[in-house]
Amino acid sequence: MRWWLLCGAFVWLGCDGGDGKRSLLSSGAGRDVSASVRGDADAGAEAGADSGAGAETGAGADSGAGAGADSGAGAETDSGAGAETGAGAETDSGAGAETDSGAGAETDSGADGDTGPVAPASLNGGFIGGPCVGGGDCDYAGAFCLDQGEGFPGGHCSQACDLYCPDQAGAITTFCVDASALGLGDPGGVCLMRCDYGASPTGCREGYQCQPIQRNTDADTVVYACLPGTDAPFVLDDCHKELLARGIGFTPAPDPLDETDNVPGVICSVFEPIRVSGRMHGVSYRYATATAEVKPIFASCPLAVAMAETAELLADQGVTDVMHFGVYNCRAIAGTTKLSQHGLANAIDIAGLRFASGTTLTIKANWEKGVAFPVTEGGSFLKWMAETLHALLVFTVILTPEYNADHADHFHCDLTEGSNFLK
């Protein structure tokens, strides 16, 4: 789509001849907002009906700002700080860190054929999951080495655990599993390293594979961790590969299959569930406030791609942080029996933005409701953002404060099948 096709839609921004740019937010160090299109964006997960027919619309509209949404706040690493509630609450403090190193890209041997991804020989050196010959190679309290003779290629730093394992800043997150599930005779739990496709193209180090496994003494909690072997690894699909090509790290996650609280019998099943890095293209997704900790977010893979597209678009305008009200929330749309897109981890509620200049915009404070041509820079930017995300089909449904009172403080952005709706 050429820049001039969008100028009519964004006339309130102004069009500047061929480059389609106009300066916005003077406090944003002269950043420009472009009305030109950078190319065909991800059109969402699926296709279907038009005009918002499948959207969270009408009397049963999305009930708004993360009512009961997956907040990420107080979510668990693996140290046990905070209770885990459903697939969306548990976070991976190291897993899914954004990487620009290309570690996630598949390697190709060229004319001789594709040899597949090559795992690094070492990850988490000196910590849980790192290689070892003896316990002295594992530099933390309570450490021991699971050696080659016990079936752990290159050795594996570990420690005993009951339910949780310690985490370490800068290291991939850990997980406590039943020792007997690994063929170890000792009773009790041992600590493993979780998969991290931001650190390795296989999610693990050499000799290990990404596989689902239950938590020790808590069979209801299943996480993808690095287990000895190479015969049956987690298989990356095109969506996962797109994230890795963008330098976005993630960890596979199990499908929650939760039952909604408000409509019994309705099940939340997430397509290609992952925990994706909360930092994308230099933009940090933070829950509710601009100072909240950046944590991995439980989402469908297609939503993660849409979030990466959004981050890339906003980073070009000097945005450093996106405040949101949640992604996964297993519930039906208010007043209906229809599952919300939040129940599919296929929607995000965007509440505000922070710029490198320190300027903060919120939907609640800066959206100019009922105004076709906003008069403030903040209002103009927010309208440009909503209309651009819609025009580029980054999201198929975007509900703004113009839609209803439930959206007075956020943009509801989702990938409803086949929709093309903005209000």
Side-chain angles (χ1 to χ4, degrees):
M1 186 182 297
R2 299 181 183 276
W3 68 270
W4 43 267
L5 292 177
L6 286 180
C7 284
F10 307 144
V11 67
W12 44 270
L13 279 179
C15 290
D16 235 5
D19 65 4
K21 293 185 178 180
R22 176 180 172 182
S23 177
L24 285 181
L25 294 175
S26 56
S27 57
R31 298 294 298 193
D32 286 343
V33 174
S34 176
S36 61
V37 179
R38 294 173 292 106
D40 192 20
D42 182 88
E46 299 146 349
D50 192 23
S51 75
E56 304 201 9
T57 60
D62 171 27
S63 61
D70 167 29
S71 67
E76 181 191 351
T77 59
D78 203 58
S79 60
E84 180 176 326
T85 55
E90 183 174 3
T91 67
D92 303 324
S93 61
E98 181 179 3
T99 172
D100 293 315
S101 64
E106 282 198 39
T107 60
D108 193 287
S109 62
D112 293 332
D114 187 0
T115 61
V118 178
S122 178
L123 288 173
N124 268 21
F127 191 57
I128 294 167
C132 56
V133 176
D137 296 325
C138 309
D139 188 20
Y140 55 94
F144 55 78
C145 180
L146 297 168
D147 61 31
Q148 187 101 16
E150 295 173 290
F152 292 82
H156 183 291
C157 289
S158 187
Q159 75 175 66
C161 58
D162 292 323
L163 191 61
Y164 302 110
C165 297
D167 288 320
Q168 186 178 90
I172 298 169
T173 308
T174 60
F175 190 63
C176 181
V177 306
D178 185 345
S180 65
L182 304 173
L184 300 173
D186 296 336
V190 294
C191 294
L192 299 182
M193 179 178 70
R194 303 192 196 196
C195 312
D196 183 352
Y197 283 90
S200 165
T202 67
C204 301
R205 65 183 178 91
E206 186 178 9
Y208 295 80
Q209 61 187 354
C210 186
Q211 288 286 292
I213 190 168
Q214 295 172 329
R215 188 192 295 279
N216 185 50
T217 72
D218 178 14
D220 290 336
T221 300
V222 177
V223 161
Y224 280 79
C226 293
L227 309 183
T230 58
D231 59 323
F234 175 81
V235 178
L236 298 174
D237 67 12
D238 289 343
C239 182
H240 299 130
K241 291 174 183 178
E242 180 170 356
L243 281 177
L244 295 177
R246 291 174 174 274
I248 308 298
F250 68 91
T251 296
D255 189 344
L257 298 177
D258 295 326
E259 182 175 351
T260 60
D261 292 333
N262 53 346
V263 182
V266 176
I267 302 300
C268 295
S269 179
V270 176
F271 178 68
E272 296 178 335
I274 59 174
R275 291 188 179 89
V276 67
S277 171
R279 187 170 288 110
M280 305 178 181
H281 300 302
V283 173
S284 296
Y285 282 88
R286 302 176 187 270
Y287 182 75
T289 72
T291 57
E293 182 182 352
V294 180
K295 298 181 178 181
I297 297 170
F298 179 77
S300 69
C301 186
L303 180 70
V305 171
M307 290 170 62
E309 287 273 357
T310 301
E312 187 175 12
L313 180 76
L314 295 176
D316 286 344
Q317 310 307 323
V319 173
T320 58
D321 302 275
V322 173
M323 290 81 84
H324 69 93
F325 287 148
V327 171
Y328 176 71
N329 179 12
C330 185
R331 61 174 173 81
I333 300 171
T336 77
T337 58
K338 181 181 177 181
L339 190 63
S340 166
Q341 289 291 304
H342 285 291
L344 304 174
N346 221 24
I348 183 169
D349 290 340
I350 296 176
L353 310 170
R354 181 168 64 177
F355 293 76
S357 64
T359 298
T360 297
L361 301 179
T362 66
I363 311 304
K364 184 175 183 179
N366 297 103
W367 181 265
E368 297 180 38
K369 190 174 187 314
V371 178
F373 303 98
V375 297
T376 65
E377 290 182 316
S380 294
F381 188 92
L382 292 176
K383 188 165 186 180
W384 169 84
M385 174 183 168
E387 294 195 356
T388 301
L389 289 174
H390 174 248
L392 293 174
L393 290 179
V394 175
F395 298 99
T396 60
V397 171
I398 301 177
L399 306 181
T400 75
E402 302 301 322
Y403 183 68
N404 64 15
D406 288 333
H407 297 82
D409 59 356
H410 68 281
F411 294 161
H412 169 89
C413 305
D414 76 40
L415 299 175
T416 297
E417 180 178 352
S419 292
N420 182 11
F421 186 81
L422 166 66
K423 184 174 180 181

